[in-house]
Amino acid sequence: MIQSPEINLEDYAISPDHGFLPRGLPLQQLPSSYYAPWENLAAQLPSLIQTGQIRPLVENLPVLKTSLLESEPEWRRAYSVLGLITHAYIWGGEKPQDILPPCISVPLLEISSHLGLPPCATYAAITLWNYTTVPEADITEPDNLSLLTSFTGTKDEEWFIVISVAIEAKGARVLPLMLDAIAAATVNDSARLTALLWRFTDILEDLNSTLRRMYEKNKPEVFFHQLRPFLAGSKNMTAAGLPYGVFYDVGQGQGEWHQYSGGSNAQSSLIQTFDIFLGVNHASTGDIKPAGTGYIQEMRKYMPAPHREFLKALSTLSNIRDYVLSSPTEQALKESYNAAVLSLSSFRDTHIQIVSRYIIKPARSHPPVIHNNERVNLATATSQMKGLDDKNPTGLYGTGGTSLIPFLKQTRDDTKAATC
């Protein structure tokens, strides 16, 4: 049997069964009653946002210490709770709030430093560490999953999140497969590599089927007008009312302005492993392998530190594309590699279709009636930040500031271009 490269997944906080999700279910609540003020707010976020009470209640919170957080699951739960409260506070009003009070800033900065993450609602906070299920349930089935902390309390928001959780869970089996495939290429076992690439394709097609289930229980108008504003970050948000980002006040007049991208599936480590494994080059989007500084590379800063390190380690080992190109007479190998690349391209096509349905079309429709005519339509403001231009005719931008459809199409086209 071929030995996989010297990567122990558990060294990178990756579960052999759950992938980038935690080995066990995320904590539903911090065990110490000391943190009850945080948990009480988190449990009521939807109603507090709806009734306009979220900001005064946040401002009345005590500045709690992080010294009672003992285990990594506790640190993750605290990060998730404070990350969502942060975005609820910033975006939960008629206009965005650009100063985050010390009761949130101080502990969130400490927790973020411990976890190696930025102090905001990242994909890890919103998705990886924010779900639960009943004992023994299959977490690859989104119907079995529920949300721990929610902005809107809607089934639509829950479905949006648990689809991603199910994809992460299903994708777990591809991680050891990738390492086996790299090992097969290393020892020149083209037959085994060919078989593994076909298995990789089957898994990606399964993930694509799960992604297409997004339409089942998530209505575009609910996603765009109710949920999406809270996913927005503080970077490139001048049009939405945050020209300098958000000031993280740590007390006594101290603090700093920060600008962060919003929560995005681009922050999924799983999705980036596919490009690394197949040798897809995103130079046209500003991401030049291996030391790119473009948006895709930037999103790694929003991943848990051990997961970032795994992507870095995988990048140094990945040899699949080079091996296929060096084996021009191996037609079966070439076919299996191209099938894998095209399955990833198809996955990205599905993503583009979802973005069109859930962002592009609702952005062109009339927003819900608002009694206060002066209220900023945050859903539109956080999408249309820079206006129209030749490269971005829709004028729509992602939560991280990328030109939405042009960026996604270019990423898809880069993937297709990897075929050989």
Side-chain angles (χ1 to χ4, degrees):
M1 180 178 177
I2 298 173
Q3 294 296 313
S4 295
E6 292 300 318
I7 286 185
N8 182 354
L9 294 177
E10 295 189 11
D11 290 344
Y12 297 93
I14 300 172
S15 164
D17 299 319
H18 297 163
F20 294 101
L21 297 170
R23 171 178 283 278
L25 290 176
L27 279 183
Q28 295 190 31
Q29 194 171 40
L30 290 167
S32 173
S33 60
Y34 176 74
Y35 297 113
W38 296 351
E39 290 287 2
N40 291 339
L41 275 190
Q44 302 175 74
L45 271 190
S47 62
L48 297 179
I49 291 170
Q50 224 172 25
T51 57
Q53 299 178 77
I54 184 62
R55 285 178 178 166
L57 288 175
V58 167
E59 289 160 1
N60 286 329
L61 284 174
V63 180
L64 300 181
K65 298 178 181 179
T66 60
S67 54
L68 273 68
L69 297 172
E70 297 180 352
S71 65
E72 286 305 293
E74 290 179 27
W75 285 95
R76 292 169 188 160
R77 173 62 185 166
Y79 177 76
S80 183
V81 165
L82 289 185
L84 270 74
I85 290 175
T86 293
H87 282 227
Y89 182 81
I90 293 171
W91 298 110
E94 294 184 355
K95 294 182 179 179
Q97 174 59 261
D98 64 355
I99 299 177
L100 194 64
C103 57
I104 299 297
S105 294
V106 172
L108 181 56
L109 287 166
E110 292 175 5
I111 293 164
S112 299
S113 177
H114 175 87
L115 294 169
L117 283 162
C120 58
T122 60
Y123 179 82
I126 296 168
T127 304
L128 297 180
W129 304 336
N130 191 34
Y131 74 95
T132 191
T133 188
V134 297
E136 308 301 323
D138 178 7
I139 65 170
T140 68
E141 171 49 61
D143 280 310
N144 292 340
L145 304 170
S146 58
L147 206 54
L148 290 175
T149 306
S150 170
F151 290 115
T152 68
T154 61
K155 182 63 182 178
D156 308 76
E157 177 183 358
E158 180 173 74
W159 193 247
F160 172 73
I161 300 299
V162 300
I163 285 291
S164 291
V165 173
I167 288 173
E168 293 283 347
K170 283 189 174 185
R173 55 194 161 137
V174 85
L175 299 173
L177 183 153
M178 289 177 181
L179 299 181
D180 287 346
I182 291 170
T186 301
V187 299
N188 196 28
D189 189 339
S190 62
R192 177 162 175 76
L193 177 56
T194 299
L196 289 168
L197 284 170
W198 283 118
R199 283 175 55 195
F200 178 87
T201 297
D202 289 341
I203 294 172
L204 272 186
E205 289 176 352
D206 189 20
L207 300 187
N208 201 1
S209 296
T210 300
L211 182 59
R212 285 195 292 265
R213 293 188 62 188
M214 183 66 72
Y215 307 110
E216 291 180 14
K217 301 176 185 178
N218 182 14
K219 296 182 288 295
E221 61 273 17
V222 174
F223 171 81
F224 184 76
H225 290 291
Q226 295 185 41
L227 173 59
R228 192 171 190 271
F230 294 100
L231 302 179
S234 53
K235 185 177 183 179
N236 296 328
M237 287 293 169
T238 298
L242 298 178
Y244 308 109
V246 172
F247 184 78
Y248 283 63
D249 182 0
V250 296
Q252 298 181 333
Q254 302 298 308
E256 292 182 6
W257 288 95
H258 292 283
Q259 296 188 9
Y260 296 110
S261 294
S264 167
N265 280 21
Q267 296 161 11
S268 166
S269 301
L270 177 68
I271 304 304
Q272 289 211 20
T273 64
F274 301 154
D275 285 327
I276 295 169
F277 173 68
L278 293 173
V280 176
N281 189 337
H282 290 296
S284 56
T285 61
D287 292 272
I288 303 172
K289 186 183 176 183
T293 56
Y295 179 73
I296 293 173
Q297 191 79 14
E298 177 75 11
M299 287 299 97
R300 293 192 188 181
K301 297 177 183 178
Y302 294 80
M303 300 173 184
H307 298 173
R308 284 200 304 272
E309 290 303 310
F310 174 75
L311 296 185
K312 184 178 179 181
L314 187 66
S315 296
T316 64
L317 293 171
S318 182
N319 58 0
I320 304 303
R321 178 171 169 76
D322 289 343
Y323 180 78
V324 173
L325 291 173
S326 68
S327 309
T329 61
E330 297 282 354
Q331 189 62 29
L333 174 62
K334 180 179 177 180
E335 289 176 1
S336 66
Y337 173 79
N338 285 343
V341 169
L342 292 176
S343 66
L344 179 55
S345 176
S346 178
F347 184 86
R348 290 193 157 124
D349 272 327
T350 300
H351 186 201
I352 291 171
Q353 292 160 13
I354 287 173
V355 167
S356 178
R357 182 166 177 176
Y358 284 87
I359 298 177
I360 306 301
K361 290 181 180 178
R364 292 170 175 164
S365 65
H366 294 294
V369 175
I370 298 172
H371 295 299
N372 181 357
N373 291 329
E374 295 182 357
R375 179 171 179 173
V376 175
N377 175 14
L378 293 179
T380 302
T382 57
S383 297
Q384 296 177 304
M385 294 176 290
K386 301 176 184 175
L388 298 169
D389 58 51
D390 292 338
K391 295 181 180 179
N392 187 18
T394 66
L396 292 171
Y397 288 77
T399 52
T402 57
S403 52
L404 205 51
I405 291 297
F407 174 80
L408 294 176
K409 285 185 175 179
Q410 188 61 63
T411 304
R412 185 269 320 275
D413 292 345
D414 289 344
T415 304
K416 282 184 178 178
T419 55
C420 57

